[in-house]
């Protein structure tokens, strides 16, 4: 096919897609969405204080009347970690402008606690002790944003398979030592009531709530944390590679028991990011191992020969395979600290989670949480999940919702009984295009390493057209920089090389010496072969028209590009083997980029742009490939960030990393500043309209799902 024919077909494809996407009435609604989103970003950036009631009004306006718009004044509002103030009352009008906050029960309040009717029945039947005996003396208080209660109801969720249900453990059972707050501005107490950071960030001491119990009624103490530290983290069969967050300069942290409810972590050198790391997921790994249960499957307590026999009887070859099966989220026998525990695991359809009778949090009236009785997961493919969402069959969920269906979500929300919430996405962009700097083809490797090539490909992308076609003009053309709401924001990097200029692209490619072309207009490599590359993406990404257009843009400047859609496992296998040309993946919560800087230098196996360099970084040079000097400079700057607990210094150092990214453009961004869409049944209470969404923040765990409630009274507010 000639290049002219290809370009003609590509233009027709664009015209067809644009026609199908041309929903004029919807654009008015999206204009309001952009305004709301910008207002949120302004608030989170610290530029000023915002009246969250205004955001509620804007969001409600968008739901009810896309043609109207209101703005208002500002007040000083901060709900994350605020002291217990005037709590809402059960049945009171929803105040969705608020997010939840926390408090302490305190010794003066007594132990007049209350429980769900389904648990009261079990107490009367003699199956459970009274609620006062199941709760700590000083339970953590969750102050709901809307109202207290009521108890009951089933939260319906959908997943693509049993492994996808496993996100329950990370996102919905998000109960570690500490948590991120709903706006990702603070780290809040959780299992730990308070903490101290000493010795320039070398020593962290945490005080646990006293009297927390596992779901079988056994006490949770520092001994459970020590069991994890001594028998799991330091057992090479169970932990072949110790996470970087638990070591400094190659030396494992020390964990000390001060008393039953006080634990101390010590590092060889200062670790300024440890508290954030605990909030971002490591905190629940520390506290998810009930020693009294797991000792019966561990060779430090049971003869290894006996364990191997137990493993064979269960269909495993080795003792640690049996152990890992026992700690799996789907095991209904293992005690948990979660708000809901597995009652009917897969392959049950639906899988069922039921309230934990020993859950250790209450509301301001002393009502034991959670409010919702059960949570169910049903398995469908992504397309069916979206159809069921449009039909109003989903309780509260954002996972697997496709942004391309946004007009349908809005159109059917009133008749199908749900609301569409627009949470602030924490990523710097929708997707990245990462050229494989460790490519096994030496010719492509040299081409990819030339910054002019990467910048040329960026100039060749018509982001305005992609935004219109793929994202209804809601997004913003940008590089994969932290979003404006982030204290790490760099406008210079955000706007670098995003101009659509095939002329500049061609000029840079010519400067590289890629001047010769074949008869179809494709440039020739230095070895005389046509310059051909593939954009590879996992099938979980469904916005393929966007990447088909990108392939066309690059082909138009003489870089023959094709799109390869692969099964997720194949995609991961190919990138791990360094076989990909250009990999596609989404953002990584760049609102707080120091927690997962994968796109700013080769940091982990998810840094598709340089996995070989990431292996060198992770192993301190023992494996992988030696990075070029400027990438090594980013790595050294990040090590300095890890060593300082001073957040202002962390920001200063990271901005230097961003400047190196601006100069080199190791990763190509496309469109960003998109909201995260959540569908919320009209009967749900205490789900905030305003929150930050991201994996690092374990959304929706950062919004306290244990205080979500369901009542039959319909409420659109």
């Amino acid at each position: 096919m000639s290049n002219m024919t290809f370009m003609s077909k590509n233009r027709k494809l664009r015209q067809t897609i644009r026609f199908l996407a041309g929903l004029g009435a919807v654009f008015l609604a999206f204009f309001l969405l952009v305004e709301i989103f910008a207002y949120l970003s302004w608030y989170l950036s610290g530029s000023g204080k915002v009246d969250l009631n205004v955001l509620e009004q804007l969001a409600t306006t968008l739901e009810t009347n896309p043609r109207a718009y209101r703005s208002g004044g500002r007040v000083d509002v901060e709900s994350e970690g605020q002291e217990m103030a005037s709590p809402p009352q059960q049945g009171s009008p929803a105040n969705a402008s608020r997010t939840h906050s926390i408090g302490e029960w305190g010794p003066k309040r007594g132990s007049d606690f209350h429980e769900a009717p389904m648990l009261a029945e079990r107490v009367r039947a003699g199956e459970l002790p009274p609620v006062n005996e199941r709760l700590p003396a000083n339970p953590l208080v969750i102050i709901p944003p809307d109202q207290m209660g009521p108890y009951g109801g089933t939260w319906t969720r959908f997943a693509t398979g049993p492994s996808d249900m496993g996100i329950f453990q990370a996102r919905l059972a998000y109960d570690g030592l500490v948590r991120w707050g709903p706006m990702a501005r603070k780290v809040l107490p959780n299992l730990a009531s308070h903490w101290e950071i000493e010795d320039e960030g070398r020593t962290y001491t945490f005080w646990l709530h006293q009297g927390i119990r596992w779901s079988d009624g056994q006490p949770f103490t520092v001994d459970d944390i020590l069991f994890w530290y001594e028998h799991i983290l330091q057992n090479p069969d169970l932990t072949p590679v110790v996470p970087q967050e638990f070591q400094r300069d190659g030396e494992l942290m020390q964990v000390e028991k001060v008393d039953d409810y006080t634990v101390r972590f010590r590092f060889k050198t200062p670790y300024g990011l440890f508290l954030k790391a605990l909030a971002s997921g490591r905190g629940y790994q520390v506290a998810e191992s009930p020693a009294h249960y797991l000792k019966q499957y561990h060779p430090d307590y049971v003869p290894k020969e006996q364990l191997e026999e137990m493993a064979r009887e269960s269909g495993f070859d080795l003792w640690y395979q049996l152990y890992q099966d026992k700690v799996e989220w789907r095991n209904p026998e293992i005690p948990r600290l979660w708000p809901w525990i597995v009652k009917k695991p897969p392959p049950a359809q639906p899988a069922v989670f039921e309230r934990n009778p020993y859950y250790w949090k209450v509301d301001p009236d002393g009502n034991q949480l959670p409010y919702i009785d059960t949570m169910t997961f049903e398995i469908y493919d992504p397309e069916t999940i979206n159809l069921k969402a449009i039909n109003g069959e989903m309780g509260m969920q954002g996972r697997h919702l496709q942004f391309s269906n946004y007009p349908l979500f809005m159109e059917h929300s009133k008749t199908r009984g749900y609301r569409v919430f627009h949470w602030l996405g924490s990523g710097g962009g929708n997707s990245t295009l990462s050229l494989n700097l460790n490519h096994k083809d030496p010719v492509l490797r040299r081409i990819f390493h030339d910054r002019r090539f990467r910048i040329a490909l960026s100039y060749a992308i018509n982001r305005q057209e992609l935004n219109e076609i793929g994202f209804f003009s809601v997004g913003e053309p940008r590089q994969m920089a932290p979003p404006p709401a982030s204290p790490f924001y760099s406008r210079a990097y955000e706007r670098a090389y995003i101009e659509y200029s095939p002329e500049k692209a061609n000029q840079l490619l010519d400067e590289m010496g890629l001047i010769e072309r074949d008869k179809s207009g494709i440039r020739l490599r230095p070895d005389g072969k046509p310059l051909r590359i593939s954009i590879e993406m996992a099938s979980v990404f469904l916005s393929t028209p966007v990447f088909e257009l990108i392939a066309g843009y690059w082909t138009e400047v003489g870089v023959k590009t094709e799109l390869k859609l692969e099964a997720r496992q194949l995609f991961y296998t190919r990138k791990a083997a360094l076989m990909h040309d250009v990999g596609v993946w989404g953002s990584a919560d760049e609102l707080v980029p120091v927690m997962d800087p994968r796109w700013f230098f080769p940091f982990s196996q998810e840094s598709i742009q340089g996995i070989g360099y990431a292996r060198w970084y992770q192993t301190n040079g023992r494996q992988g490939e030696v990075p070029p000097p400027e990438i090594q400079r980013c790595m050294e700057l990040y090590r300095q960030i890890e060593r300082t607990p001073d957040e202002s210094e962390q920001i200063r150092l990271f901005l230097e990393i961003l400047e190196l990214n601006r100069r080199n453009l190791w990763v190509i961004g496309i469109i960003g500043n998109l909201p995260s869409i959540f569908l919320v049944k009209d009967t749900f209470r205490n789900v905030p309209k305003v929150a930050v969404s991201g994996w690092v923040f374990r959304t929706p765990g950062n919004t306290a799902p244990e205080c979500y409630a369901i009542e039959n009274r319909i409420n659109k507010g």
Side-chain angles (χ1 to χ4, degrees):
M1 180 188 299
S2 71
N3 194 44
M4 290 297 295
T5 303
F6 180 89
M7 288 190 289
S8 176
K9 289 195 172 186
N10 191 48
R11 281 193 294 270
K12 289 180 180 178
L13 171 63
R14 294 184 223 169
Q15 292 168 356
T16 301
I17 297 173
R18 189 184 298 113
F19 174 76
L20 294 174
L23 304 174
V26 175
F27 286 145
L28 290 172
F30 273 114
F31 170 77
L32 295 178
L33 176 56
V34 172
E35 292 293 328
I36 295 169
F37 207 52
Y39 203 47
L40 270 170
S41 297
W42 175 81
Y43 163 58
L44 288 176
S45 68
S47 300
K49 296 294 184 178
V50 67
D51 184 350
L52 294 184
N53 284 294
V54 172
L55 296 175
E56 178 187 6
Q57 292 168 358
L58 293 174
T60 302
T61 298
L62 179 60
E63 294 171 11
T64 58
N65 184 7
R67 297 180 182 276
Y69 177 79
R70 266 168 46 183
S71 63
R74 308 171 187 172
V75 296
D76 188 1
V77 176
E78 178 57 77
S79 63
E80 292 188 9
Q82 70 186 28
E83 295 298 325
M84 244 185 329
S86 301
Q89 302 299 316
Q90 180 171 332
S92 66
N95 182 11
S97 67
R98 296 175 54 177
T99 55
H100 82 279
S101 53
I102 65 170
E104 289 291 332
W105 187 253
K108 296 182 179 180
R109 303 196 64 174
S111 57
D112 186 19
F113 299 123
H114 316 286
E115 62 192 331
M118 68 180 295
L119 296 182
E121 292 178 7
R122 294 178 62 185
V123 172
R124 288 192 293 270
E127 299 175 8
L128 287 174
V131 63
N132 289 354
E133 298 177 17
R134 304 197 309 269
L135 283 166
N138 65 329
L140 183 68
V141 176
I142 302 294
I143 306 166
D146 294 352
Q147 61 185 52
M148 260 93 79
Y151 281 122
T154 297
W155 180 352
T156 302
R157 292 183 62 90
F158 300 115
T160 58
S163 60
D164 185 43
M165 292 181 197
I167 61 97
F168 175 91
Q169 184 170 5
R171 291 182 178 267
L172 298 163
Y174 172 43
D175 275 318
L177 295 178
V178 292
R179 272 185 179 181
W180 282 105
M183 305 305 288
R185 300 181 68 174
K186 290 184 179 180
V187 173
L188 303 181
N190 202 53
L191 288 168
S193 61
H194 59 289
W195 55 85
E196 285 184 358
I197 304 173
E198 302 170 291
D199 197 15
E200 298 180 319
R202 291 180 178 86
T203 303
Y204 292 75
T205 305
F206 294 88
W207 284 263
L208 307 180
H209 285 92
Q210 299 185 24
I212 293 175
R213 296 178 181 273
W214 296 95
S215 56
D216 63 353
Q218 293 297 310
F220 166 72
T221 69
V222 171
D223 288 335
D224 296 297
I225 296 176
L226 286 182
F227 176 83
W228 163 81
Y229 173 69
E230 295 172 353
H231 304 290
I232 299 175
L233 187 66
Q234 298 185 64
N235 185 297
D237 289 326
L238 298 176
T239 311
V241 179
V242 175
Q244 291 290 329
E245 293 89 344
F246 298 138
Q247 54 181 310
R248 288 294 95 195
D249 297 337
E251 185 173 308
L252 184 68
M253 67 182 181
Q254 300 297 309
V255 180
E256 306 168 8
K257 176 181 177 180
V258 179
D259 56 42
D260 284 347
Y261 299 103
T262 311
V263 63
R264 181 168 292 136
F265 299 82
R266 294 187 188 273
F267 293 92
K268 177 182 178 181
T269 56
Y271 184 23
L273 298 179
F274 185 56
L275 186 66
K276 289 185 174 73
L278 290 177
S280 300
R282 295 304 184 193
Y284 64 74
Q285 294 179 8
V286 166
E288 65 178 358
S289 302
H292 67 282
Y293 174 83
L294 292 175
K295 285 178 180 179
Q296 61 186 318
Y297 302 107
H298 200 288
D300 291 348
Y301 296 91
V302 177
K304 191 172 182 179
E305 297 76 15
Q306 182 178 339
L307 286 179
E308 298 287 8
E309 178 60 29
M310 292 168 59
R312 286 190 290 271
E313 291 175 357
S314 299
F316 301 105
D317 296 324
L318 301 166
W319 74 268
Y320 58 82
Q321 293 172 328
L322 173 65
Y323 183 95
Q324 290 166 342
D325 182 67
K326 294 300 181 181
V327 299
E328 269 278 309
W329 65 268
R330 65 188 87 191
N331 176 15
E333 297 177 358
I334 184 171
R336 302 292 190 186
L337 299 173
W338 303 347
W340 300 274
I341 52 179
V342 182
K343 187 73 172 179
K344 297 179 181 178
Q349 181 72 329
V352 178
F353 293 76
E354 191 175 275
R355 68 166 60 253
N356 175 2
Y358 288 90
Y359 196 58
W360 42 279
K361 300 178 188 177
V362 299
D363 71 12
D365 281 350
N367 299 305
Q368 184 188 30
L369 299 175
Y371 292 132
I372 296 175
D373 284 339
T374 57
M375 182 185 300
T376 63
F377 281 84
E378 299 178 51
I379 295 175
Y380 298 100
D381 60 80
E383 290 80 6
T384 303
I385 290 175
N386 277 258
L387 288 173
K388 287 184 168 292
I390 293 168
N391 198 42
E393 299 178 41
M394 183 179 283
M396 181 278 178
Q397 187 169 331
R399 191 171 177 83
H400 302 303
L401 297 184
Q402 299 162 13
F403 197 83
S404 58
N405 288 325
Y406 180 85
L408 293 175
F409 295 149
M410 295 297 295
E411 178 184 351
H412 293 279
S413 61
K414 295 182 180 62
T415 58
R416 300 299 182 182
Y418 61 85
R419 293 159 288 169
V420 182
F421 285 3
H422 314 97
W423 287 4
L424 185 68
S426 60
N430 176 258
S431 295
T432 63
L433 293 157
S434 300
L435 278 67
N436 180 8
L437 300 176
N438 300 119
H439 207 293
K440 293 186 174 181
D441 181 333
V443 178
L444 274 183
R445 182 189 179 103
R446 284 196 301 271
I447 292 173
F448 287 0
H449 267 264
D450 193 317
R451 62 185 290 273
R452 292 173 295 182
F453 186 74
R454 302 188 296 269
I455 293 171
L457 294 187
S458 183
Y459 276 134
I461 299 173
N462 188 340
R463 290 175 175 82
Q464 293 291 353
E465 186 171 59
L466 296 182
N467 191 24
E468 176 186 341
I469 290 172
F471 306 103
F472 307 97
S473 296
V474 171
E476 181 178 328
R478 69 193 314 275
Q479 298 293 355
M480 185 55 78
S486 172
F488 300 87
Y489 174 63
S490 166
R491 180 171 175 80
Y493 178 36
E494 177 191 57
R495 311 302 296 174
Y497 322 115
I498 62 172
E499 172 192 353
Y500 175 49
S501 178
E503 296 78 17
K504 290 183 179 180
N506 280 310
Q507 180 182 347
L508 288 169
L509 294 171
D510 289 345
E511 288 178 6
M512 291 176 60
L514 301 173
I515 299 174
E516 299 297 325
R517 300 183 183 235
D518 63 16
K519 60 182 181 181
S520 62
I522 302 304
R523 296 174 184 270
L524 300 181
R525 309 183 338 169
D527 59 3
K529 296 179 181 178
L531 179 50
R532 299 175 179 272
I533 61 175
S534 297
I535 298 175
E536 301 185 36
M537 56 190 298
S539 55
V540 293
F541 290 93
L542 298 175
S543 54
T544 53
V546 166
F547 294 97
E548 289 170 357
L549 290 174
I550 292 173
Y553 300 145
W554 289 356
T555 298
E556 288 180 4
V557 295
V559 181
K560 177 62 176 176
T561 308
E562 64 176 358
L563 181 65
K564 287 185 177 180
L565 193 64
E566 301 163 347
R568 183 169 184 162
Q569 188 57 48
L570 175 61
F571 175 81
Y572 267 81
T573 299
R574 284 183 56 80
K575 75 181 181 71
L578 310 179
M579 296 173 64
H580 62 291
D581 295 340
V582 183
V584 173
W585 203 255
S587 60
D589 299 321
E590 290 79 22
L591 187 70
V592 186
V594 292
M595 299 316 302
D596 187 358
R598 67 176 73 173
W599 301 130
F600 305 108
F601 69 91
F603 169 75
S604 70
Q605 294 300 303
E606 300 302 324
S607 299
I608 308 174
Q609 74 276 23
I611 292 175
Y613 299 147
R615 291 169 182 162
W616 183 89
Y617 172 77
Q618 290 180 317
T619 62
N620 294 313
R622 294 188 302 273
Q623 299 175 20
E625 301 181 28
V626 179
E630 288 193 298
I631 290 180
Q632 288 193 47
R633 175 59 180 162
C634 289
M635 294 172 174
E636 174 54 32
L637 286 166
Y638 186 72
R639 290 189 178 101
Q640 293 180 43
I641 289 170
E642 289 182 306
R643 288 193 289 266
T644 176
D646 183 346
E647 191 161 13
S648 63
E649 180 65 4
Q650 292 174 6
I651 294 170
R652 185 190 70 79
L653 293 167
F654 202 85
L655 289 176
E656 189 173 336
I657 292 176
L658 294 180
E659 174 57 22
L660 288 166
N661 276 265
R662 184 203 64 78
R663 186 186 309 157
N664 289 279
L665 198 67
W666 289 303
V667 169
I668 301 173
I670 310 170
I671 302 296
N673 289 349
L674 290 163
S676 293
I677 303 301
F678 286 80
L679 266 59
V680 182
K681 200 78 171 173
D682 286 345
T683 53
F684 268 64
R685 303 291 180 269
N686 298 328
V687 182
K689 285 187 177 179
V690 179
V692 166
S693 174
W695 167 249
V696 162
F697 314 114
R698 297 308 194 250
T699 307
N702 59 321
T703 65
E706 61 270 19
C707 80
Y708 292 1
I710 300 173
E711 68 177 357
N712 292 328
R713 179 176 61 87
I714 300 298
N715 177 15
K716 292 293 288 187

